[in-house]
Amino acid sequence: MSDLQLEIKHLIIEALGLEDMVAADIGADLPLFGEGLGLDSVDALELGLAIQKRFGIKIDAEAKDTRQHFANVASLTAFVAARQTA
Amino acid sequence: MSWIGLDRLLLTPDASRQVTPDLDHAELCRRALHLGGQLRGQQVQRVALYLEDAADLAIALLGAWQAGVQVLLPADAQAQTRLQLASRIDLWLDALDPAGAAAPLQAHALDLDQCRLTLCTSGSSGEAKLIDKNLRQLSNEVAALEQLWGETLGDAVIVASVAAQHIYGLLFRVLWPLCAGRAFLRRAQPFPEDMQRTSLEQPGFAWVASPALLKRMGDNLDWTALQPLRRVFSSGGALPVEAAQLLHAQLGQWPTEIYGSSETGGIAWRQGDTPWQPFAGIELSVDAEGALRLTSPYLPSGHCEQTADAVELLGDGRFLLRGRLDRIVKLEEKRISLPMLEQALMAHAWVGDARLGVIQQGRAFLGALLALSPAGVHALRNQGRRSVTDTLRQHLAGHCEAIALPRRWRLLSQLPYSSQGKLAQARVEALLAAPRPTLVEPLSAVEHDGEWQLELEVPLDLAHFSGHFPQTPVLPGVVQIDWAQQLARQLIEQLPPRFVGMEVLKFQQLVRPGDALQLSLRFDASRGKLYFTFRNGDKACSSGRILLGPEQ
């Protein structure tokens, strides 16, 4: 598991108040929304803000694939990594 | 653009009138009349519609009414909801067949008093509450909205962040634009970035949004590009002042907030932090508890609806909202009945008693304060806390939407009712807001011949249990030594302040959540040694001597 993945898992737990969770509970390909971790659209908004703030990046308002980036920790990590180097 | 009444929408198909950017009014009529024919052919009398595509919802509503079918809009598609509604409907429709082979109905004007719509929301008793409307009520409301804001909206395309399944979305993003000839987008857009992107594809646009979106706009939007935004509506819950101020600063206009409910439809509106202006024809009064009552053209004629919202009426006809008086809470605009969830929790064999409260931390979510039953304590001791809370979450998942699932749990042996049997909501919420305990409060402490005897109950929810060990919670030895020393400092005066070391430590018996312990403490001042023994009944759990010394 990369450091960035771990950081994102901690961010999810912290930003969304998932007190009983630890990073190891969130598999990199576990779906974050709907089935899986069971987050909802408000969590998506909160998480979007937390990610942008923590990593100083922007969600591309032109892009149609925002939802895909937030599918799971692996896709979110790839998204943040790509944005940071961009 | 010309207004067509809700009862006459299928009479004159008009290919030049847009329903959505990719659907014209003539096609809408064709598909609605086919669907009506299909429903009549299947002899459906009552249909539940659960359609995320707002254009499909419009087609299905108009088709069903045309066929004389009563429509029910479920609040969600949970298994429990479907089961509960099964006896009330003949058909659950969550997708439309675009081919539509059935012969179409002949279009006729709808009877505003005969066409019925049933909305679902959570009631205070726990069961989903069904709210019947006729088409006249809805028709009165959309006409009033057009009267107020039709001109400023003009030909704006309606872009929404809210579902069309509830009264606000249904009126504002489907029925009103349909009658006005204003196009709307099919899908609700969850992210602000998506609201912006889909909006900027349109020449002019207006937003049907909610506080969940508007208080999380971030700093990523192109406000200059969004200047053509004609109006922002917000409803479903209270919009924080800061969110309204942000929009005002960025767009030069206050969002238009709508106050209402599924039962009453719209009651009042305001822009900015001002008193609420009732819609035309609404009569307000206040009952003895300070709660709002009203009659309205959007309610059945002559009906006076009692709300649970505390209000203060002002002399000029406007009013201030003062919060809710019952135990239905709103989480991100979703109404959640706390009594219903508490009943569902108590139906589980592990739960003796349950109270829920709201925790506000970034977002608002629910926390559960539970008194575990003996079976629940057994499960906790043998499977660990995570297993217990996961099981209870799964148990609840069949009864409510994911947003209502508690994210924080506090496990107690009993709930702290007052001697009058009351447990105030504020106390519940304070207990939920507090971190899990790391210490123990003695139930009693008695001194005899220099030796203290304490009765302790090991908290079920001790923070140390999560890591020690996740599936078999055991009180760590180091915590026992720490408790002995801390409790001794509360009871025995002039204990030397410095921890120097330990002697003859023995751990003989595991201590687990909920265990009743007896702790004996004796300080030998001449040797500087604190003797401690933890017992559970006749079994010694641990014992030893803590060496204490003066400040260095």
Side-chain angles (χ1 to χ4, degrees), chain B residues 111-400:
Chain B
D111 182 331
L112 287 173
D113 296 302
Q114 292 303 312
C115 285
R116 321 235 19 124
L117 176 71
T118 304
L119 297 166
C120 299
T121 185
S122 24
S124 49
S125 64
E127 286 277 284
K129 183 174 174 187
L130 302 181
I131 298 155
D132 276 313
K133 308 249 175 213
N134 60 34
L135 209 51
R136 185 175 298 282
Q137 294 165 243
L138 302 172
S139 171
N140 287 343
E141 186 154 6
V142 292
L145 295 174
E146 181 69 9
Q147 194 73 37
L148 270 172
W149 295 304
E151 210 165 308
T152 51
L153 290 184
D155 60 358
V157 173
I158 304 301
V159 181
S161 71
V162 298
Q165 207 70 14
H166 304 283
I167 182 93
Y168 167 56
L170 180 71
L171 289 168
F172 278 70
R173 63 176 281 221
V174 186
L175 300 182
W176 175 19
L178 263 184
C179 293
R182 218 166 265 134
F184 55 85
L185 297 190
R186 290 171 177 267
R187 299 271 169 192
Q189 303 298 332
F191 289 99
E193 289 81 3
D194 293 329
M195 289 290 283
Q196 171 173 303
R197 181 176 48 79
T198 52
S199 294
L200 295 181
E201 291 164 2
Q202 315 302 330
F205 47 89
W207 284 3
V208 174
S210 70
L213 179 90
L214 297 178
K215 66 191 187 197
R216 298 186 176 88
M217 298 301 278
D219 54 2
N220 195 20
L221 297 185
D222 183 348
W223 293 105
T224 315
L226 286 171
Q227 289 302 317
L229 182 48
R230 306 244 172 101
R231 196 168 274 269
V232 179
F233 293 101
S234 172
S235 189
L239 182 68
V241 177
E242 306 77 54
Q245 280 166 345
L246 171 81
L247 286 169
H248 182 251
Q250 299 289 5
L251 292 171
Q253 59 167 306
W254 292 100
T256 305
E257 296 173 63
I258 310 292
Y259 162 60
S261 68
S262 300
E263 290 87 345
T264 58
I267 296 173
W269 61 279
R270 68 172 186 175
Q271 284 190 282
D273 193 14
T274 58
W276 293 89
Q277 173 68 51
F279 288 106
I282 291 182
E283 301 281 340
L284 306 177
S285 57
V286 176
D287 73 2
E289 272 82 52
L292 180 69
R293 298 159 54 89
L294 68 146
T295 60
S296 158
Y298 320 150
L299 283 166
S301 157
H303 175 79
C304 185
E305 178 77 19
Q306 172 77 56
T307 75
D309 291 329
V311 297
E312 183 182 330
L313 297 183
L314 304 177
D316 61 1
R318 298 187 298 166
F319 63 90
L320 303 172
L321 276 177
R322 297 292 190 208
R324 280 188 82 85
L325 296 169
D326 61 7
R327 292 194 70 233
I328 303 248
V329 298
K330 275 203 167 180
L331 293 182
E332 308 296 347
E333 297 88 49
K334 291 233 161 60
R335 248 212 277 197
I336 315 268
S337 159
L338 299 184
M340 178 195 87
L341 292 175
E342 287 162 359
Q343 284 161 25
L345 273 173
M346 282 188 267
H348 195 281
W350 292 352
V351 179
D353 202 351
R355 285 292 295 274
L356 296 178
V358 177
I359 300 158
Q360 189 80 46
Q361 245 174 37
R363 65 170 297 173
F365 53 88
L366 291 188
L369 198 61
L370 298 186
L372 292 182
S373 68
V377 173
H378 182 81
L380 176 71
R381 288 162 63 105
N382 293 287
Q383 300 169 33
R385 176 186 158 97
R386 258 298 283 292
S387 162
V388 169
T389 56
D390 280 353
T391 304
L392 293 176
R393 267 177 75 94
Q394 274 165 24
H395 166 74
L396 270 189
H399 295 83
C400 65

Side-chain angles (χ1 to χ4, degrees), chain A residues 12 14-22 25 33-34 37-49 52 57-67 70, chain B residues 188-194 196-197 200-201 212-213 215-221 332 361-363 365 385-386 389 393 402-403 407-410 434-436 466:
Chain A
I12 292 171
E14 193 184 308
L16 306 179
L18 307 176
E19 187 186 65
D20 283 321
M21 289 255 165
V22 294
D25 296 329
F33 301 95
L37 199 52
L39 304 182
D40 63 19
S41 62
V42 176
D43 292 315
L45 287 166
E46 281 288 337
L47 189 55
L49 288 179
Q52 295 183 72
I57 57 173
K58 298 270 184 212
I59 292 176
D60 186 352
E62 301 297 314
K64 300 196 178 188
D65 44 6
T66 312
R67 277 183 230 211
F70 283 74
Chain B
Q189 303 298 332
F191 289 99
E193 289 81 3
D194 293 329
Q196 171 173 303
R197 181 176 48 79
L200 295 181
E201 291 164 2
L213 179 90
K215 66 191 187 197
R216 298 186 176 88
M217 298 301 278
D219 54 2
N220 195 20
L221 297 185
E332 308 296 347
Q361 245 174 37
R363 65 170 297 173
F365 53 88
R385 176 186 158 97
R386 258 298 283 292
T389 56
R393 267 177 75 94
I403 195 167
R407 290 195 174 178
R408 178 172 297 180
W409 302 82
R410 291 291 178 263
R436 287 169 58 194
S466 282

